Amino acid sequence: MIAVCVHTFVRLTPAGIEPTPLALCVGANILLLTQAFRRKFIIPDFEAFASNINQLYYSTQRQVGGHVADYIPQLAKFSPDLWGVSLCTVDGQRHSAGDTKVPFCLQSCVKPLEYAIAVHEIGTEHVHRYVGKEPSGLKFNQLSLDEEDKPHNPMVNAGAIVISSLLKVRGFLGVMEYLKKMAGTEYVGFSNATFQSEKETGDRNFAIGYYLKEKKCFPKNADMIAALDFYFQLCSIEVTCESGSVMAATLANGGICPITGEQVLSAEAVRNTLSLMHSCGMYDFSGQFAFHVGLPAKSGVSGAVLLVVPNVMGIMCWSPPLDRVGNSVRGIHFCQELVSLFNFHNYDNLRHFARKLDPRRQSLDDRNRSVVNLMFAAYSGDVSALRRFALSAVDMEEKDYDSRTALHVASAEGDPVISFSWPLIIFLCVIRWGNTPLDDARQFGRDRVVSVLTEYQRLYPCSSESQSETEDQRKLRHIEGGGLSQTDRTCLTI
Protein backbone atom coordinates (compact mmCIF):
# COMPACT_ATOMS: atom_id res chain seq x y z
CA MET A 1 0.00 0.00 0.00
CA ILE A 2 2.82 2.42 0.92
CA ALA A 3 4.66 1.56 -2.31
CA VAL A 4 1.54 2.35 -4.34
CA CYS A 5 1.19 5.73 -2.61
CA VAL A 6 4.86 6.55 -3.21
CA HIS A 7 4.64 5.68 -6.90
CA THR A 8 1.54 7.87 -7.15
CA PHE A 9 3.51 10.97 -6.20
CA VAL A 10 7.10 10.31 -7.31
CA ARG A 11 8.73 8.49 -10.21
CA LEU A 12 12.26 7.33 -10.93
CA THR A 13 13.84 8.88 -14.02
CA PRO A 14 17.42 8.87 -15.39
CA ALA A 15 17.81 12.28 -13.74
CA GLY A 16 16.67 10.94 -10.37
CA ILE A 17 13.42 11.03 -8.42
CA GLU A 18 10.85 13.49 -9.78
CA PRO A 19 7.29 14.35 -8.74
CA THR A 20 4.49 12.93 -10.90
CA PRO A 21 1.96 15.20 -12.65
CA LEU A 22 -0.55 14.24 -9.94
CA ALA A 23 1.86 15.40 -7.23
CA LEU A 24 2.38 18.72 -9.01
CA CYS A 25 -1.39 19.17 -9.34
CA VAL A 26 -2.01 18.30 -5.70
CA GLY A 27 0.83 20.55 -4.54
CA ALA A 28 -0.59 23.55 -6.39
CA ASN A 29 -4.03 23.06 -4.83
CA ILE A 30 -3.18 21.57 -1.46
CA LEU A 31 -5.10 24.19 0.53
CA LEU A 32 -8.27 23.70 -1.48
CA LEU A 33 -7.99 19.89 -1.36
CA THR A 34 -7.43 19.94 2.40
CA GLN A 35 -10.58 21.98 2.91
CA ALA A 36 -12.50 19.70 0.55
CA PHE A 37 -11.52 16.51 2.40
CA ARG A 38 -12.45 18.11 5.70
CA ARG A 39 -15.74 19.42 4.28
CA LYS A 40 -14.93 22.71 5.98
CA PHE A 41 -15.61 25.27 3.27
CA ILE A 42 -16.78 28.75 4.27
CA ILE A 43 -19.74 28.19 1.93
CA PRO A 44 -20.77 24.53 2.37
CA ASP A 45 -23.29 24.37 -0.49
CA PHE A 46 -21.24 26.19 -3.08
CA GLU A 47 -23.20 24.79 -6.04
CA ALA A 48 -26.43 26.37 -4.81
CA PHE A 49 -24.61 29.62 -4.04
CA ALA A 50 -23.07 29.73 -7.54
CA SER A 51 -26.53 29.15 -9.03
CA ASN A 52 -27.83 32.21 -7.15
CA ILE A 53 -24.86 34.26 -8.37
CA ASN A 54 -25.67 33.26 -11.96
CA GLN A 55 -29.24 34.46 -11.51
CA LEU A 56 -27.98 37.80 -10.19
CA TYR A 57 -25.55 38.03 -13.09
CA TYR A 58 -28.24 37.53 -15.75
CA SER A 59 -30.75 39.85 -14.08
CA THR A 60 -28.07 42.55 -13.85
CA GLN A 61 -27.07 42.02 -17.48
CA ARG A 62 -30.42 43.52 -18.49
CA GLN A 63 -29.48 46.84 -16.86
CA VAL A 64 -28.92 49.58 -19.45
CA GLY A 65 -27.76 53.13 -19.17
CA GLY A 66 -24.51 54.85 -18.38
CA HIS A 67 -21.66 55.81 -20.69
CA VAL A 68 -18.23 54.33 -21.29
CA ALA A 69 -15.49 56.69 -20.05
CA ASP A 70 -14.05 58.60 -23.01
CA TYR A 71 -11.81 61.20 -21.38
CA ILE A 72 -9.07 58.55 -21.53
CA PRO A 73 -9.20 57.50 -25.22
CA GLN A 74 -8.00 53.96 -24.58
CA LEU A 75 -10.93 53.26 -22.24
CA ALA A 76 -13.46 54.45 -24.83
CA LYS A 77 -12.58 51.47 -27.06
CA PHE A 78 -14.35 48.92 -24.80
CA SER A 79 -17.81 47.65 -25.74
CA PRO A 80 -20.62 48.69 -23.38
CA ASP A 81 -21.98 45.13 -23.61
CA LEU A 82 -19.03 43.59 -21.75
CA TRP A 83 -20.08 42.26 -18.33
CA GLY A 84 -18.29 39.84 -16.05
CA VAL A 85 -18.39 38.72 -12.41
CA SER A 86 -15.85 36.51 -10.65
CA LEU A 87 -15.64 35.53 -7.01
CA CYS A 88 -13.08 33.73 -4.89
CA THR A 89 -13.76 32.63 -1.32
CA VAL A 90 -11.20 32.77 1.46
CA ASP A 91 -10.73 29.01 1.12
CA GLY A 92 -10.23 29.08 -2.66
CA GLN A 93 -13.64 28.21 -4.09
CA ARG A 94 -14.08 29.98 -7.42
CA HIS A 95 -16.97 30.96 -9.67
CA SER A 96 -17.17 33.16 -12.76
CA ALA A 97 -19.90 34.35 -15.10
CA GLY A 98 -19.62 36.35 -18.31
CA ASP A 99 -16.59 38.16 -19.76
CA THR A 100 -14.21 37.25 -16.95
CA LYS A 101 -11.08 36.56 -19.01
CA VAL A 102 -10.95 39.93 -20.81
CA PRO A 103 -8.09 42.13 -19.47
CA PHE A 104 -8.95 45.65 -18.31
CA CYS A 105 -7.08 48.34 -16.39
CA LEU A 106 -7.50 48.69 -12.65
CA GLN A 107 -7.60 52.49 -12.80
CA SER A 108 -8.78 53.69 -9.35
CA CYS A 109 -9.15 50.11 -8.11
CA VAL A 110 -5.37 50.16 -7.68
CA LYS A 111 -5.65 52.86 -4.98
CA PRO A 112 -6.56 50.57 -2.06
CA LEU A 113 -3.95 48.07 -3.23
CA GLU A 114 -1.10 50.59 -3.35
CA TYR A 115 -2.22 51.99 0.00
CA ALA A 116 -2.17 48.49 1.54
CA ILE A 117 1.33 47.89 0.17
CA ALA A 118 2.51 51.27 1.51
CA VAL A 119 1.17 50.55 5.02
CA HIS A 120 2.66 47.06 4.92
CA GLU A 121 6.05 48.38 3.84
CA ILE A 122 6.28 51.71 5.65
CA GLY A 123 3.75 51.56 8.48
CA THR A 124 0.45 53.27 9.25
CA GLU A 125 1.88 56.20 11.20
CA HIS A 126 4.37 57.18 8.49
CA VAL A 127 1.83 56.90 5.65
CA HIS A 128 -0.73 59.06 7.45
CA ARG A 129 1.74 61.86 8.01
CA TYR A 130 1.04 62.65 4.36
CA VAL A 131 -2.58 61.62 3.81
CA GLY A 132 -5.77 61.77 5.86
CA LYS A 133 -8.49 59.26 6.64
CA GLU A 134 -11.71 61.24 6.11
CA PRO A 135 -14.16 61.13 3.19
CA SER A 136 -13.90 64.31 1.16
CA GLY A 137 -17.51 64.63 0.00
CA LEU A 138 -16.07 65.92 -3.30
CA LYS A 139 -15.28 64.52 -6.73
CA PHE A 140 -12.32 62.15 -6.82
CA ASN A 141 -10.20 64.51 -8.94
CA GLN A 142 -10.95 67.71 -7.03
CA LEU A 143 -8.14 70.13 -6.11
CA SER A 144 -8.84 69.99 -2.41
CA LEU A 145 -6.98 69.30 0.84
CA ASP A 146 -8.12 68.87 4.44
CA GLU A 147 -7.59 71.41 7.21
CA GLU A 148 -4.06 70.07 7.80
CA ASP A 149 -3.18 70.59 4.11
CA LYS A 150 -3.14 66.85 3.43
CA PRO A 151 -5.16 64.92 0.83
CA HIS A 152 -8.40 63.80 2.46
CA ASN A 153 -7.78 60.06 2.00
CA PRO A 154 -5.84 57.60 -0.20
CA MET A 155 -8.90 56.82 -2.37
CA VAL A 156 -9.01 60.21 -4.13
CA ASN A 157 -6.51 61.16 -6.83
CA ALA A 158 -4.56 63.59 -4.63
CA GLY A 159 -4.11 60.95 -1.92
CA ALA A 160 -3.16 58.24 -4.39
CA ILE A 161 -0.54 60.49 -6.01
CA VAL A 162 1.06 61.14 -2.60
CA ILE A 163 0.99 57.40 -1.82
CA SER A 164 2.68 56.81 -5.18
CA SER A 165 5.48 59.18 -4.16
CA LEU A 166 6.00 57.10 -1.00
CA LEU A 167 6.10 53.84 -2.98
CA LYS A 168 8.25 55.16 -5.82
CA VAL A 169 11.44 53.93 -4.14
CA ARG A 170 10.06 50.35 -4.32
CA GLY A 171 9.72 50.72 -8.08
CA PHE A 172 7.08 49.53 -10.51
CA LEU A 173 8.38 45.95 -10.52
CA GLY A 174 8.25 45.86 -6.74
CA VAL A 175 4.56 46.83 -6.70
CA MET A 176 3.82 44.40 -9.52
CA GLU A 177 5.40 41.61 -7.49
CA TYR A 178 3.03 42.37 -4.62
CA LEU A 179 0.00 42.44 -6.91
CA LYS A 180 0.95 39.14 -8.53
CA LYS A 181 1.26 37.55 -5.09
CA MET A 182 -2.14 38.93 -4.16
CA ALA A 183 -3.57 37.45 -7.36
CA GLY A 184 -2.08 34.03 -6.63
CA THR A 185 0.25 34.37 -9.66
CA GLU A 186 -2.76 34.72 -11.98
CA TYR A 187 -2.89 37.33 -14.73
CA VAL A 188 -1.54 40.78 -13.86
CA GLY A 189 -0.37 42.75 -16.89
CA PHE A 190 0.32 46.28 -18.07
CA SER A 191 -1.28 48.36 -20.82
CA ASN A 192 1.33 50.70 -22.23
CA ALA A 193 -1.27 52.22 -24.57
CA THR A 194 -3.41 53.22 -21.57
CA PHE A 195 -0.33 54.55 -19.77
CA GLN A 196 0.52 56.82 -22.72
CA SER A 197 -3.11 57.83 -23.03
CA GLU A 198 -3.21 58.74 -19.31
CA LYS A 199 -0.12 60.94 -19.63
CA GLU A 200 -1.40 62.72 -22.73
CA THR A 201 -4.81 63.52 -21.21
CA GLY A 202 -3.78 63.92 -17.56
CA ASP A 203 -3.98 67.71 -17.27
CA ARG A 204 -6.20 67.51 -14.18
CA ASN A 205 -3.78 65.14 -12.45
CA PHE A 206 -0.83 67.39 -13.34
CA ALA A 207 -2.77 70.29 -11.83
CA ILE A 208 -3.33 68.23 -8.67
CA GLY A 209 0.38 67.38 -8.62
CA TYR A 210 1.48 71.01 -8.79
CA TYR A 211 -1.10 71.95 -6.15
CA LEU A 212 0.30 69.23 -3.85
CA LYS A 213 3.82 70.47 -4.52
CA GLU A 214 2.84 74.06 -3.71
CA LYS A 215 1.30 72.90 -0.39
CA LYS A 216 4.39 70.79 0.39
CA CYS A 217 2.37 67.57 0.59
CA PHE A 218 5.10 65.32 -0.81
CA PRO A 219 7.85 63.68 1.26
CA LYS A 220 11.17 65.49 1.30
CA ASN A 221 13.17 65.15 -1.94
CA ALA A 222 10.21 63.55 -3.75
CA ASP A 223 10.02 64.21 -7.51
CA MET A 224 6.46 65.32 -8.33
CA ILE A 225 6.69 64.47 -12.04
CA ALA A 226 8.16 61.03 -11.25
CA ALA A 227 5.36 60.42 -8.72
CA LEU A 228 2.72 61.31 -11.33
CA ASP A 229 4.39 59.05 -13.88
CA PHE A 230 4.38 56.23 -11.34
CA TYR A 231 0.71 56.88 -10.53
CA PHE A 232 -0.21 56.67 -14.23
CA GLN A 233 1.70 53.40 -14.49
CA LEU A 234 -0.16 51.87 -11.54
CA CYS A 235 -3.55 52.90 -12.96
CA SER A 236 -2.59 51.17 -16.22
CA ILE A 237 -2.01 47.76 -14.60
CA GLU A 238 -4.29 45.14 -16.14
CA VAL A 239 -6.20 42.30 -14.50
CA THR A 240 -9.13 40.09 -15.42
CA CYS A 241 -12.23 39.55 -13.30
CA GLU A 242 -10.77 36.20 -12.29
CA SER A 243 -7.38 37.49 -11.10
CA GLY A 244 -9.01 40.58 -9.57
CA SER A 245 -11.33 38.40 -7.49
CA VAL A 246 -8.30 36.63 -5.98
CA MET A 247 -6.83 40.03 -5.06
CA ALA A 248 -10.12 40.93 -3.37
CA ALA A 249 -10.15 37.55 -1.62
CA THR A 250 -6.64 38.21 -0.30
CA LEU A 251 -8.02 41.34 1.35
CA ALA A 252 -11.01 39.35 2.64
CA ASN A 253 -8.60 36.78 4.07
CA GLY A 254 -6.52 39.17 6.16
CA GLY A 255 -3.72 39.51 3.61
CA ILE A 256 -3.26 35.78 2.99
CA CYS A 257 -3.74 34.72 -0.63
CA PRO A 258 -6.38 31.93 -0.61
CA ILE A 259 -4.82 30.25 -3.65
CA THR A 260 -1.22 30.01 -2.47
CA GLY A 261 -1.60 30.41 1.29
CA GLU A 262 1.13 33.08 1.32
CA GLN A 263 0.91 36.01 3.73
CA VAL A 264 1.23 38.92 1.29
CA LEU A 265 0.04 41.83 3.44
CA SER A 266 -0.04 42.41 7.18
CA ALA A 267 -3.33 42.20 9.05
CA GLU A 268 -2.97 45.86 10.03
CA ALA A 269 -2.55 46.95 6.41
CA VAL A 270 -5.65 45.01 5.37
CA ARG A 271 -7.76 46.31 8.26
CA ASN A 272 -6.85 49.93 7.47
CA THR A 273 -7.47 49.40 3.76
CA LEU A 274 -10.91 47.86 4.24
CA SER A 275 -11.88 50.65 6.65
CA LEU A 276 -11.05 53.31 4.07
CA MET A 277 -12.68 51.36 1.24
CA HIS A 278 -15.86 51.23 3.31
CA SER A 279 -15.95 54.97 3.97
CA CYS A 280 -14.28 56.43 0.87
CA GLY A 281 -14.05 53.78 -1.85
CA MET A 282 -16.96 54.62 -4.14
CA TYR A 283 -16.22 58.26 -5.00
CA ASP A 284 -18.95 60.66 -3.83
CA PHE A 285 -21.39 57.73 -3.77
CA SER A 286 -19.50 56.17 -0.82
CA GLY A 287 -22.07 57.10 1.82
CA GLN A 288 -24.97 55.65 -0.13
CA PHE A 289 -22.99 52.52 -0.96
CA ALA A 290 -22.08 52.02 2.71
CA PHE A 291 -25.73 52.52 3.64
CA HIS A 292 -27.25 50.15 1.07
CA VAL A 293 -24.49 47.58 0.55
CA GLY A 294 -22.48 47.87 3.77
CA LEU A 295 -19.28 46.30 2.41
CA PRO A 296 -15.78 47.61 1.58
CA ALA A 297 -15.47 48.31 -2.14
CA LYS A 298 -13.52 50.36 -4.68
CA SER A 299 -14.59 51.35 -8.15
CA GLY A 300 -12.63 52.53 -11.19
CA VAL A 301 -13.52 54.41 -14.36
CA SER A 302 -12.66 51.31 -16.40
CA GLY A 303 -15.96 49.90 -15.08
CA ALA A 304 -14.43 47.70 -12.37
CA VAL A 305 -15.81 47.25 -8.86
CA LEU A 306 -13.58 45.49 -6.33
CA LEU A 307 -15.87 44.16 -3.56
CA VAL A 308 -14.75 42.51 -0.31
CA VAL A 309 -16.93 40.40 1.99
CA PRO A 310 -14.56 40.19 4.98
CA ASN A 311 -13.67 36.65 6.09
CA VAL A 312 -15.84 35.21 3.31
CA MET A 313 -14.87 36.18 -0.26
CA GLY A 314 -13.66 38.74 -2.76
CA ILE A 315 -15.60 39.73 -5.89
CA MET A 316 -14.57 41.58 -9.03
CA CYS A 317 -17.34 43.00 -11.25
CA TRP A 318 -16.59 44.67 -14.55
CA SER A 319 -18.84 46.51 -16.99
CA PRO A 320 -17.59 49.69 -18.78
CA PRO A 321 -20.76 51.88 -18.77
CA LEU A 322 -20.55 54.36 -15.87
CA ASP A 323 -23.12 56.41 -13.99
CA ARG A 324 -22.84 60.16 -13.38
CA VAL A 325 -20.34 59.78 -10.48
CA GLY A 326 -18.06 57.31 -12.31
CA ASN A 327 -19.23 53.94 -10.96
CA SER A 328 -20.17 50.96 -13.09
CA VAL A 329 -23.96 50.88 -13.55
CA ARG A 330 -24.10 47.08 -13.62
CA GLY A 331 -21.47 46.74 -10.90
CA ILE A 332 -23.44 48.88 -8.44
CA HIS A 333 -26.69 47.07 -9.26
CA PHE A 334 -25.06 43.66 -8.76
CA CYS A 335 -23.65 44.65 -5.36
CA GLN A 336 -27.03 45.94 -4.21
CA GLU A 337 -28.82 42.79 -5.37
CA LEU A 338 -26.16 40.61 -3.73
CA VAL A 339 -26.81 42.02 -0.25
CA SER A 340 -30.56 42.00 -0.86
CA LEU A 341 -30.38 38.23 -1.34
CA PHE A 342 -27.61 37.30 1.12
CA ASN A 343 -26.96 38.66 4.61
CA PHE A 344 -23.52 40.03 3.71
CA HIS A 345 -24.26 43.62 4.78
CA ASN A 346 -21.99 44.40 7.73
CA TYR A 347 -25.01 45.25 9.87
CA ASP A 348 -27.38 42.48 8.87
CA ASN A 349 -28.55 40.68 11.99
CA LEU A 350 -27.63 37.07 11.27
CA ARG A 351 -29.98 35.83 13.94
CA HIS A 352 -33.18 37.68 13.17
CA PHE A 353 -32.92 38.62 9.48
CA ALA A 354 -34.70 35.47 8.34
CA ARG A 355 -35.69 36.88 4.95
CA LYS A 356 -32.10 36.75 3.70
CA LEU A 357 -30.01 33.72 2.86
CA ASP A 358 -26.84 32.87 4.77
CA PRO A 359 -24.65 30.74 2.48
CA ARG A 360 -22.16 30.25 5.33
CA ARG A 361 -24.54 27.95 7.18
CA GLN A 362 -24.67 24.24 6.60
CA SER A 363 -28.13 23.16 5.45
CA LEU A 364 -30.36 21.66 8.12
CA ASP A 365 -30.59 18.35 6.23
CA ASP A 366 -26.79 18.05 6.03
CA ARG A 367 -26.41 18.85 9.71
CA ASN A 368 -29.07 16.34 10.75
CA ARG A 369 -27.44 13.68 8.59
CA SER A 370 -24.06 14.43 10.19
CA VAL A 371 -25.50 14.13 13.72
CA VAL A 372 -27.24 10.83 12.93
CA ASN A 373 -24.04 9.36 11.48
CA LEU A 374 -22.01 10.54 14.48
CA MET A 375 -24.47 9.06 17.00
CA PHE A 376 -24.77 5.77 15.11
CA ALA A 377 -20.97 5.41 15.04
CA ALA A 378 -20.86 5.99 18.80
CA TYR A 379 -23.68 3.48 19.37
CA SER A 380 -22.24 0.76 17.13
CA GLY A 381 -18.62 1.14 18.26
CA ASP A 382 -17.32 2.15 14.83
CA VAL A 383 -14.02 3.71 15.87
CA SER A 384 -12.82 4.12 12.27
CA ALA A 385 -15.89 6.20 11.46
CA LEU A 386 -15.36 8.34 14.56
CA ARG A 387 -11.75 8.96 13.56
CA ARG A 388 -12.89 10.01 10.08
CA PHE A 389 -15.40 12.44 11.60
CA ALA A 390 -12.72 13.95 13.86
CA LEU A 391 -10.25 14.33 10.98
CA SER A 392 -13.00 15.89 8.84
CA ALA A 393 -13.47 18.60 11.48
CA VAL A 394 -16.93 17.35 12.48
CA ASP A 395 -18.04 18.90 15.76
CA MET A 396 -17.68 15.94 18.12
CA GLU A 397 -19.87 17.76 20.66
CA GLU A 398 -22.95 17.81 18.44
CA LYS A 399 -26.16 16.88 20.24
CA ASP A 400 -29.04 14.70 19.14
CA TYR A 401 -32.77 15.40 19.51
CA ASP A 402 -32.67 15.02 23.32
CA SER A 403 -29.38 16.91 23.82
CA ARG A 404 -27.10 13.90 24.12
CA THR A 405 -23.56 14.00 22.78
CA ALA A 406 -21.78 11.07 21.17
CA LEU A 407 -20.10 10.38 24.50
CA HIS A 408 -23.50 10.19 26.19
CA VAL A 409 -24.56 7.57 23.65
CA ALA A 410 -21.31 5.62 23.96
CA SER A 411 -21.47 5.71 27.76
CA ALA A 412 -25.12 4.67 28.00
CA GLU A 413 -25.71 2.34 25.06
CA GLY A 414 -22.59 1.74 22.99
CA ASP A 415 -19.68 -0.64 23.14
CA PRO A 416 -17.51 0.29 26.18
CA VAL A 417 -14.37 -0.28 24.09
CA ILE A 418 -14.90 3.09 22.45
CA SER A 419 -15.84 5.11 25.50
CA PHE A 420 -12.55 7.04 25.43
CA SER A 421 -12.14 7.57 21.68
CA TRP A 422 -12.01 11.35 22.08
CA PRO A 423 -10.02 12.79 25.01
CA LEU A 424 -11.55 16.24 24.59
CA ILE A 425 -15.09 14.94 25.10
CA ILE A 426 -14.17 13.61 28.53
CA PHE A 427 -14.12 17.13 29.90
CA LEU A 428 -17.64 17.93 28.71
CA CYS A 429 -20.45 18.43 31.12
CA VAL A 430 -23.18 18.59 28.53
CA ILE A 431 -26.47 18.30 30.39
CA ARG A 432 -29.08 15.76 29.45
CA TRP A 433 -31.88 16.21 32.01
CA GLY A 434 -29.10 17.16 34.46
CA ASN A 435 -26.95 14.14 33.57
CA THR A 436 -23.29 14.05 32.57
CA PRO A 437 -21.85 11.12 30.58
CA LEU A 438 -20.75 9.58 33.91
CA ASP A 439 -24.34 9.82 35.20
CA ASP A 440 -25.60 8.04 32.09
CA ALA A 441 -22.99 5.31 32.42
CA ARG A 442 -24.10 4.64 36.02
CA GLN A 443 -27.79 4.75 35.11
CA PHE A 444 -27.35 2.16 32.39
CA GLY A 445 -25.05 -0.11 34.38
CA ARG A 446 -21.90 0.40 32.30
CA ASP A 447 -19.49 -0.55 35.06
CA ARG A 448 -16.28 -0.47 33.01
CA VAL A 449 -17.12 2.95 31.63
CA VAL A 450 -17.90 4.21 35.14
CA SER A 451 -14.52 2.89 36.29
CA VAL A 452 -12.66 4.68 33.50
CA LEU A 453 -14.51 8.00 33.90
CA THR A 454 -14.20 7.97 37.68
CA GLU A 455 -10.48 7.19 37.57
CA TYR A 456 -9.92 9.89 34.99
CA GLN A 457 -11.73 12.51 37.06
CA ARG A 458 -9.78 11.46 40.16
CA LEU A 459 -6.42 11.78 38.42
CA TYR A 460 -7.21 14.93 36.48
CA PRO A 461 -9.93 17.06 38.05
CA CYS A 462 -11.14 19.62 35.50
CA SER A 463 -9.92 22.97 36.85
CA SER A 464 -10.90 24.97 33.78
CA GLU A 465 -13.33 24.68 30.93
CA SER A 466 -10.69 24.81 28.23
CA GLN A 467 -7.89 22.29 27.91
CA SER A 468 -5.45 22.08 25.06
CA GLU A 469 -5.58 19.05 22.83
CA THR A 470 -1.92 18.28 23.48
CA GLU A 471 -2.48 18.27 27.24
CA ASP A 472 -5.56 16.05 26.90
CA GLN A 473 -3.67 13.55 24.80
CA ARG A 474 -0.83 13.49 27.37
CA LYS A 475 -3.27 12.74 30.16
CA LEU A 476 -4.94 9.99 28.18
CA ARG A 477 -1.58 8.34 27.51
CA HIS A 478 -0.85 8.41 31.25
CA ILE A 479 -4.10 6.66 32.03
CA GLU A 480 -3.52 4.09 29.33
CA GLY A 481 0.03 3.56 30.54
CA GLY A 482 -0.53 2.83 34.20
CA GLY A 483 -3.28 4.76 35.90
CA LEU A 484 -5.88 2.02 35.34
CA SER A 485 -6.21 -1.71 35.80
CA GLN A 486 -5.25 -4.10 33.01
CA THR A 487 -8.94 -4.72 32.30
CA ASP A 488 -9.69 -1.02 31.87
CA ARG A 489 -6.55 -0.47 29.79
CA THR A 490 -7.84 -3.19 27.48
CA CYS A 491 -11.07 -1.23 27.15
CA LEU A 492 -9.07 1.78 25.99
CA THR A 493 -7.15 -0.08 23.27
CA ILE A 494 -8.18 1.11 19.78
Side-chain angles (χ1 to χ4, degrees):
M1 182 65 178
I2 295 175
V4 172
C5 292
V6 170
H7 288 307
T8 303
F9 292 101
V10 296
R11 60 186 175 187
L12 189 61
T13 68
I17 297 176
E18 293 182 355
T20 64
L22 176 61
L24 294 173
C25 180
V26 169
N29 299 279
I30 189 65
L31 296 176
L32 187 63
L33 290 170
T34 301
Q35 296 293 88
F37 283 125
R38 290 181 175 178
R39 300 185 67 186
K40 202 178 177 182
F41 285 124
I42 189 71
I43 297 180
D45 191 354
F46 192 74
E47 185 176 355
F49 177 72
S51 177
N52 284 319
I53 294 296
N54 286 341
Q55 292 178 27
L56 294 179
Y57 169 83
Y58 288 115
S59 67
T60 303
Q61 192 173 34
R62 295 192 289 269
Q63 292 292 311
V64 294
H67 301 280
V68 179
D70 56 5
Y71 68 91
I72 300 174
Q74 200 65 24
L75 299 182
K77 297 179 180 180
F78 285 96
S79 167
D81 297 326
L82 291 167
W83 167 227
V85 175
S86 288
L87 65 89
C88 176
T89 65
V90 294
D91 47 24
Q93 293 171 289
R94 310 283 296 275
H95 182 68
S96 295
D99 304 303
T100 58
K101 296 184 183 296
V102 180
F104 57 87
C105 288
L106 281 169
Q107 291 296 318
S108 286
C109 285
V110 83
K111 291 173 182 174
L113 306 180
E114 69 162 336
Y115 169 76
I117 295 168
V119 171
H120 177 76
E121 285 270 338
I122 308 169
T124 302
E125 184 179 351
H126 185 79
V127 168
H128 283 286
R129 290 178 191 169
Y130 301 97
V131 65
K133 310 180 187 76
E134 296 292 335
S136 69
L138 304 169
K139 286 181 68 68
F140 63 93
N141 58 359
Q142 196 85 7
L143 276 72
S144 174
L145 300 175
D146 65 15
E147 58 186 15
E148 297 179 5
D149 276 347
K150 296 192 296 189
H152 287 87
N153 61 74
M155 305 299 153
V156 294
N157 286 19
I161 291 168
V162 170
I163 297 292
S164 296
S165 71
L166 294 172
L167 277 181
K168 184 69 177 68
V169 294
R170 269 68 183 174
F172 180 73
L173 293 180
V175 174
M176 281 289 282
E177 183 180 356
Y178 268 105
L179 296 181
K180 287 180 179 179
K181 287 180 179 179
M182 290 183 69
T185 69
E186 295 192 8
Y187 178 77
V188 180
F190 178 73
S191 172
N192 189 60
T194 303
F195 170 59
Q196 297 299 331
S197 187
E198 289 257 18
K199 288 179 67 175
E200 292 168 6
T201 60
D203 293 342
R204 166 68 68 157
N205 285 318
F206 278 102
I208 292 172
Y210 280 106
Y211 181 57
L212 293 171
K213 184 178 180 181
E214 177 201 354
K215 294 292 185 177
K216 296 180 172 51
C217 296
F218 290 110
K220 188 177 180 180
N221 300 323
D223 185 327
M224 183 268 291
I225 297 298
L228 276 170
D229 216 48
F230 191 48
Y231 171 69
F232 293 143
Q233 283 182 309
L234 296 181
C235 289
S236 304
I237 291 173
E238 285 187 332
V239 297
T240 64
C241 283
E242 293 181 359
S243 59
S245 70
V246 181
M247 290 178 170
T250 299
L251 294 177
N253 200 31
I256 300 173
C257 177
I259 303 302
T260 63
E262 180 181 1
Q263 179 88 46
V264 184
L265 299 168
S266 67
E268 179 186 5
V270 171
R271 182 199 64 195
N272 294 352
T273 301
L274 295 182
S275 298
L276 289 171
M277 288 172 69
H278 188 269
S279 61
C280 315
M282 301 299 287
Y283 301 136
D284 41 335
F285 186 70
S286 295
Q288 289 203 53
F289 192 88
F291 183 87
H292 292 290
V293 178
L295 291 171
K298 186 70 192 83
S299 59
V301 294
S302 59
V305 176
L306 186 80
L307 182 71
V308 178
V309 185
N311 303 311
V312 181
M313 72 179 71
I315 300 175
M316 178 66 91
C317 310
W318 176 58
S319 178
L322 310 177
D323 60 20
R324 61 177 183 81
V325 296
N327 294 321
S328 169
V329 171
R330 292 192 182 103
I332 294 293
H333 183 81
F334 178 86
C335 294
Q336 291 173 337
E337 291 299 304
L338 180 75
V339 297
S340 295
L341 180 61
F342 299 108
N343 54 7
F344 287 154
H345 192 295
N346 266 331
Y347 304 109
D348 277 341
N349 190 309
L350 300 183
R351 194 170 182 182
H352 301 296
F353 225 111
R355 290 181 295 129
K356 290 189 178 184
L357 302 177
D358 185 1
R360 292 161 286 197
R361 287 183 179 174
Q362 188 179 30
S363 72
L364 188 59
D365 287 344
D366 287 345
R367 183 183 176 278
N368 288 341
R369 192 178 302 114
S370 175
V371 172
V372 168
N373 290 338
L374 179 64
M375 297 304 166
F376 184 76
Y379 173 78
S380 60
D382 190 345
V383 179
S384 296
L386 291 170
R387 283 174 172 164
R388 285 197 302 273
F389 292 145
L391 290 171
S392 300
V394 170
D395 184 1
M396 303 303 282
E397 300 177 28
E398 283 279 16
K399 303 170 189 174
D400 64 7
Y401 59 91
D402 59 357
S403 299
R404 298 189 303 173
T405 65
L407 183 56
H408 281 89
V409 173
S411 299
E413 304 174 30
D415 187 332
V417 170
I418 68 163
S419 295
F420 267 79
S421 298
W422 328 281
L424 282 175
I425 304 299
I426 296 168
F427 294 95
L428 290 177
C429 289
V430 178
I431 302 303
R432 181 219 175 189
W433 307 310
N435 285 359
T436 65
L438 178 57
D439 294 329
D440 278 8
R442 285 173 176 154
Q443 180 179 342
F444 287 88
R446 314 290 289 183
D447 295 336
R448 289 184 178 179
V449 175
V450 170
S451 172
V452 171
L453 287 169
T454 303
E455 183 68 9
Y456 192 96
Q457 287 186 348
R458 185 186 70 78
L459 289 172
Y460 305 104
C462 186
S463 57
S464 65
E465 293 183 359
S466 61
Q467 301 270 357
S468 71
E469 184 175 358
T470 304
E471 182 69 9
D472 293 337
Q473 290 172 340
R474 183 190 65 76
K475 291 176 180 179
L476 184 64
R477 284 197 301 273
H478 180 84
I479 291 177
E480 291 175 338
L484 300 176
S485 66
Q486 181 61 43
T487 302
D488 289 334
R489 286 202 299 274
T490 303
C491 295
L492 292 169
T493 305
I494 298 175

